Amino acid sequence: MSKLIKVAKTSELGPGQYKSVEIEGEHIALFNVEGKFYALKDVCTHDSGILTGGTLRGHTIECPRHGAQFDVRTGAVVRMPAYVGVETYPVQVEGNDILIKVE
Ligand code: FES
């Protein structure tokens, strides 16, 4: 059964910023791109690099380890060396709260 978990306030994360949040031991990268929020599993599919700590340009996050890039909207690979997309999570904003839906 899925549930919505509050992870942050909208005021904590300005456009172009990201933060790492944890839900039940799972590390999730939460991004604000132009006022919209996106959540990805915070683990690079290439060799388990932590995506938070990488560089966010537009909708693309670059893994700090070997430079793989992913689209934060879909988790899809934008640039190798990763070739498998990253898991995404639905994000909802309720008032000033950011919530992530997990199974
Ligand atoms: S671990 Fe992310 S590019 Fe290698």
Side-chain angles (χ1 to χ4, degrees), residues 44-51 63-70 80-82:
C44 179
T45 57
H46 174 237
D47 193 24
S48 304
I50 305 300
L51 296 177
C63 176
R65 287 198 62 204
H66 314 105
Q69 295 180 351
F70 302 91
M80 302 255 277

PDB file of all heavy atoms in Angstrom, residues 44-51 63-70 80-82, ligand 1:
ATOM      1  N   CYS A  44      23.223   6.362  -7.926  1.00  0.00           N
ATOM      2  CA  CYS A  44      23.513   6.262  -9.362  1.00  0.00           C
ATOM      3  C   CYS A  44      23.489   4.795  -9.779  1.00  0.00           C
ATOM      4  O   CYS A  44      24.009   3.928  -9.074  1.00  0.00           O
ATOM      5  CB  CYS A  44      24.884   6.872  -9.629  1.00  0.00           C
ATOM      6  SG  CYS A  44      25.386   6.798 -11.361  1.00  0.00           S
ATOM      7  N   THR A  45      22.893   4.517 -10.934  1.00  0.00           N
ATOM      8  CA  THR A  45      22.808   3.134 -11.403  1.00  0.00           C
ATOM      9  C   THR A  45      24.118   2.652 -12.014  1.00  0.00           C
ATOM     10  O   THR A  45      24.243   1.469 -12.332  1.00  0.00           O
ATOM     11  CB  THR A  45      21.693   2.975 -12.460  1.00  0.00           C
ATOM     12  OG1 THR A  45      21.966   3.875 -13.535  1.00  0.00           O
ATOM     13  CG2 THR A  45      20.328   3.275 -11.867  1.00  0.00           C
ATOM     14  N   HIS A  46      25.096   3.548 -12.183  1.00  0.00           N
ATOM     15  CA  HIS A  46      26.375   3.098 -12.730  1.00  0.00           C
ATOM     16  C   HIS A  46      27.172   2.320 -11.697  1.00  0.00           C
ATOM     17  O   HIS A  46      27.507   1.170 -11.894  1.00  0.00           O
ATOM     18  CB  HIS A  46      27.184   4.291 -13.264  1.00  0.00           C
ATOM     19  CG  HIS A  46      28.557   3.890 -13.708  1.00  0.00           C
ATOM     20  ND1 HIS A  46      29.694   4.453 -13.202  1.00  0.00           N
ATOM     21  CD2 HIS A  46      28.956   2.947 -14.601  1.00  0.00           C
ATOM     22  CE1 HIS A  46      30.753   3.866 -13.765  1.00  0.00           C
ATOM     23  NE2 HIS A  46      30.325   2.964 -14.618  1.00  0.00           N
ATOM     24  N   ASP A  47      27.473   2.989 -10.574  1.00  0.00           N
ATOM     25  CA  ASP A  47      28.277   2.305  -9.557  1.00  0.00           C
ATOM     26  C   ASP A  47      27.932   2.849  -8.167  1.00  0.00           C
ATOM     27  O   ASP A  47      28.819   3.046  -7.340  1.00  0.00           O
ATOM     28  CB  ASP A  47      29.773   2.452  -9.857  1.00  0.00           C
ATOM     29  CG  ASP A  47      30.618   1.495  -9.025  1.00  0.00           C
ATOM     30  OD1 ASP A  47      30.080   0.465  -8.586  1.00  0.00           O
ATOM     31  OD2 ASP A  47      31.809   1.780  -8.800  1.00  0.00           O
ATOM     32  N   SER A  48      26.644   3.116  -7.969  1.00  0.00           N
ATOM     33  CA  SER A  48      26.116   3.480  -6.648  1.00  0.00           C
ATOM     34  C   SER A  48      26.628   4.808  -6.099  1.00  0.00           C
ATOM     35  O   SER A  48      26.670   5.005  -4.882  1.00  0.00           O
ATOM     36  CB  SER A  48      26.376   2.363  -5.622  1.00  0.00           C
ATOM     37  OG  SER A  48      25.829   1.166  -6.082  1.00  0.00           O
ATOM     38  N   GLY A  49      27.040   5.734  -6.962  1.00  0.00           N
ATOM     39  CA  GLY A  49      27.377   7.086  -6.503  1.00  0.00           C
ATOM     40  C   GLY A  49      26.152   7.759  -5.905  1.00  0.00           C
ATOM     41  O   GLY A  49      25.009   7.412  -6.232  1.00  0.00           O
ATOM     42  N   ILE A  50      26.393   8.692  -4.997  1.00  0.00           N
ATOM     43  CA  ILE A  50      25.302   9.445  -4.384  1.00  0.00           C
ATOM     44  C   ILE A  50      25.040  10.663  -5.268  1.00  0.00           C
ATOM     45  O   ILE A  50      25.925  11.496  -5.476  1.00  0.00           O
ATOM     46  CB  ILE A  50      25.693   9.884  -2.955  1.00  0.00           C
ATOM     47  CG1 ILE A  50      26.107   8.668  -2.114  1.00  0.00           C
ATOM     48  CG2 ILE A  50      24.541  10.640  -2.290  1.00  0.00           C
ATOM     49  CD1 ILE A  50      25.048   7.616  -1.948  1.00  0.00           C
ATOM     50  N   LEU A  51      23.814  10.778  -5.781  1.00  0.00           N
ATOM     51  CA  LEU A  51      23.534  11.857  -6.752  1.00  0.00           C
ATOM     52  C   LEU A  51      23.548  13.225  -6.093  1.00  0.00           C
ATOM     53  O   LEU A  51      23.941  14.212  -6.712  1.00  0.00           O
ATOM     54  CB  LEU A  51      22.206  11.593  -7.459  1.00  0.00           C
ATOM     55  CG  LEU A  51      22.193  10.323  -8.318  1.00  0.00           C
ATOM     56  CD1 LEU A  51      20.809  10.100  -8.914  1.00  0.00           C
ATOM     57  CD2 LEU A  51      23.237  10.406  -9.424  1.00  0.00           C
ATOM     58  N   CYS A  63      26.092  12.803 -11.835  1.00  0.00           N
ATOM     59  CA  CYS A  63      26.689  12.039 -10.742  1.00  0.00           C
ATOM     60  C   CYS A  63      28.115  12.538 -10.507  1.00  0.00           C
ATOM     61  O   CYS A  63      28.892  12.690 -11.461  1.00  0.00           O
ATOM     62  CB  CYS A  63      26.697  10.555 -11.093  1.00  0.00           C
ATOM     63  SG  CYS A  63      27.534   9.541  -9.848  1.00  0.00           S
ATOM     64  N   PRO A  64      28.467  12.795  -9.236  1.00  0.00           N
ATOM     65  CA  PRO A  64      29.800  13.318  -8.963  1.00  0.00           C
ATOM     66  C   PRO A  64      30.915  12.295  -9.168  1.00  0.00           C
ATOM     67  O   PRO A  64      32.080  12.666  -9.197  1.00  0.00           O
ATOM     68  CB  PRO A  64      29.713  13.749  -7.491  1.00  0.00           C
ATOM     69  CG  PRO A  64      28.621  12.926  -6.908  1.00  0.00           C
ATOM     70  CD  PRO A  64      27.648  12.660  -8.031  1.00  0.00           C
ATOM     71  N   ARG A  65      30.588  11.030  -9.303  1.00  0.00           N
ATOM     72  CA  ARG A  65      31.658  10.022  -9.389  1.00  0.00           C
ATOM     73  C   ARG A  65      32.261   9.926 -10.784  1.00  0.00           C
ATOM     74  O   ARG A  65      33.447  10.116 -10.971  1.00  0.00           O
ATOM     75  CB  ARG A  65      31.155   8.661  -8.925  1.00  0.00           C
ATOM     76  CG  ARG A  65      30.974   8.647  -7.404  1.00  0.00           C
ATOM     77  CD  ARG A  65      30.893   7.253  -6.854  1.00  0.00           C
ATOM     78  NE  ARG A  65      32.097   6.496  -7.088  1.00  0.00           N
ATOM     79  CZ  ARG A  65      32.140   5.167  -7.134  1.00  0.00           C
ATOM     80  NH1 ARG A  65      31.056   4.468  -6.963  1.00  0.00           N
ATOM     81  NH2 ARG A  65      33.275   4.543  -7.333  1.00  0.00           N
ATOM     82  N   HIS A  66      31.450   9.607 -11.794  1.00  0.00           N
ATOM     83  CA  HIS A  66      32.031   9.436 -13.136  1.00  0.00           C
ATOM     84  C   HIS A  66      31.265  10.228 -14.196  1.00  0.00           C
ATOM     85  O   HIS A  66      31.437   9.996 -15.379  1.00  0.00           O
ATOM     86  CB  HIS A  66      32.051   7.957 -13.543  1.00  0.00           C
ATOM     87  CG  HIS A  66      32.559   7.040 -12.486  1.00  0.00           C
ATOM     88  ND1 HIS A  66      31.720   6.220 -11.752  1.00  0.00           N
ATOM     89  CD2 HIS A  66      33.810   6.841 -12.003  1.00  0.00           C
ATOM     90  CE1 HIS A  66      32.443   5.528 -10.859  1.00  0.00           C
ATOM     91  NE2 HIS A  66      33.719   5.894 -10.990  1.00  0.00           N
ATOM     92  N   GLY A  67      30.363  11.096 -13.742  1.00  0.00           N
ATOM     93  CA  GLY A  67      29.747  12.026 -14.689  1.00  0.00           C
ATOM     94  C   GLY A  67      28.507  11.554 -15.422  1.00  0.00           C
ATOM     95  O   GLY A  67      28.059  12.229 -16.355  1.00  0.00           O
ATOM     96  N   ALA A  68      27.944  10.422 -15.041  1.00  0.00           N
ATOM     97  CA  ALA A  68      26.673  10.030 -15.671  1.00  0.00           C
ATOM     98  C   ALA A  68      25.633  11.113 -15.383  1.00  0.00           C
ATOM     99  O   ALA A  68      25.662  11.765 -14.338  1.00  0.00           O
ATOM    100  CB  ALA A  68      26.183   8.687 -15.134  1.00  0.00           C
ATOM    101  N   GLN A  69      24.703  11.299 -16.317  1.00  0.00           N
ATOM    102  CA  GLN A  69      23.669  12.311 -16.125  1.00  0.00           C
ATOM    103  C   GLN A  69      22.289  11.675 -16.255  1.00  0.00           C
ATOM    104  O   GLN A  69      22.076  10.781 -17.083  1.00  0.00           O
ATOM    105  CB  GLN A  69      23.820  13.428 -17.160  1.00  0.00           C
ATOM    106  CG  GLN A  69      25.119  14.203 -16.998  1.00  0.00           C
ATOM    107  CD  GLN A  69      25.255  15.303 -18.030  1.00  0.00           C
ATOM    108  OE1 GLN A  69      24.479  15.406 -18.987  1.00  0.00           O
ATOM    109  NE2 GLN A  69      26.270  16.137 -17.849  1.00  0.00           N
ATOM    110  N   PHE A  70      21.358  12.190 -15.441  1.00  0.00           N
ATOM    111  CA  PHE A  70      19.978  11.705 -15.426  1.00  0.00           C
ATOM    112  C   PHE A  70      19.024  12.889 -15.479  1.00  0.00           C
ATOM    113  O   PHE A  70      19.292  13.937 -14.901  1.00  0.00           O
ATOM    114  CB  PHE A  70      19.706  10.913 -14.146  1.00  0.00           C
ATOM    115  CG  PHE A  70      20.625   9.746 -13.955  1.00  0.00           C
ATOM    116  CD1 PHE A  70      21.812   9.898 -13.240  1.00  0.00           C
ATOM    117  CD2 PHE A  70      20.321   8.502 -14.492  1.00  0.00           C
ATOM    118  CE1 PHE A  70      22.679   8.831 -13.053  1.00  0.00           C
ATOM    119  CE2 PHE A  70      21.180   7.427 -14.316  1.00  0.00           C
ATOM    120  CZ  PHE A  70      22.359   7.586 -13.592  1.00  0.00           C
ATOM    121  N   MET A  80      26.012   8.564 -20.536  1.00  0.00           N
ATOM    122  CA  MET A  80      26.738   7.425 -19.993  1.00  0.00           C
ATOM    123  C   MET A  80      27.798   7.963 -19.021  1.00  0.00           C
ATOM    124  O   MET A  80      28.120   9.133 -19.110  1.00  0.00           O
ATOM    125  CB  MET A  80      27.409   6.660 -21.133  1.00  0.00           C
ATOM    126  CG  MET A  80      26.412   6.176 -22.166  1.00  0.00           C
ATOM    127  SD  MET A  80      26.113   4.427 -22.032  1.00  0.00           S
ATOM    128  CE  MET A  80      27.503   3.774 -22.949  1.00  0.00           C
ATOM    129  N   PRO A  81      28.406   7.162 -18.179  1.00  0.00           N
ATOM    130  CA  PRO A  81      28.489   5.694 -18.288  1.00  0.00           C
ATOM    131  C   PRO A  81      27.306   4.911 -17.719  1.00  0.00           C
ATOM    132  O   PRO A  81      27.277   3.694 -17.878  1.00  0.00           O
ATOM    133  CB  PRO A  81      29.773   5.360 -17.510  1.00  0.00           C
ATOM    134  CG  PRO A  81      29.856   6.426 -16.467  1.00  0.00           C
ATOM    135  CD  PRO A  81      29.332   7.667 -17.159  1.00  0.00           C
ATOM    136  N   ALA A  82      26.334   5.531 -17.073  1.00  0.00           N
ATOM    137  CA  ALA A  82      25.151   4.774 -16.667  1.00  0.00           C
ATOM    138  C   ALA A  82      24.316   4.472 -17.909  1.00  0.00           C
ATOM    139  O   ALA A  82      24.341   5.240 -18.875  1.00  0.00           O
ATOM    140  CB  ALA A  82      24.326   5.578 -15.664  1.00  0.00           C
TER     141      ALA A  82
HETATM  142  S1  FES B   1      28.713   5.982  -9.995  1.00  0.00           S
HETATM  143 FE1  FES B   1      27.628   7.547 -11.023  1.00  0.00          FE
HETATM  144  S2  FES B   1      28.699   7.769 -12.896  1.00  0.00           S
HETATM  145 FE2  FES B   1      29.726   6.132 -11.891  1.00  0.00          FE
END
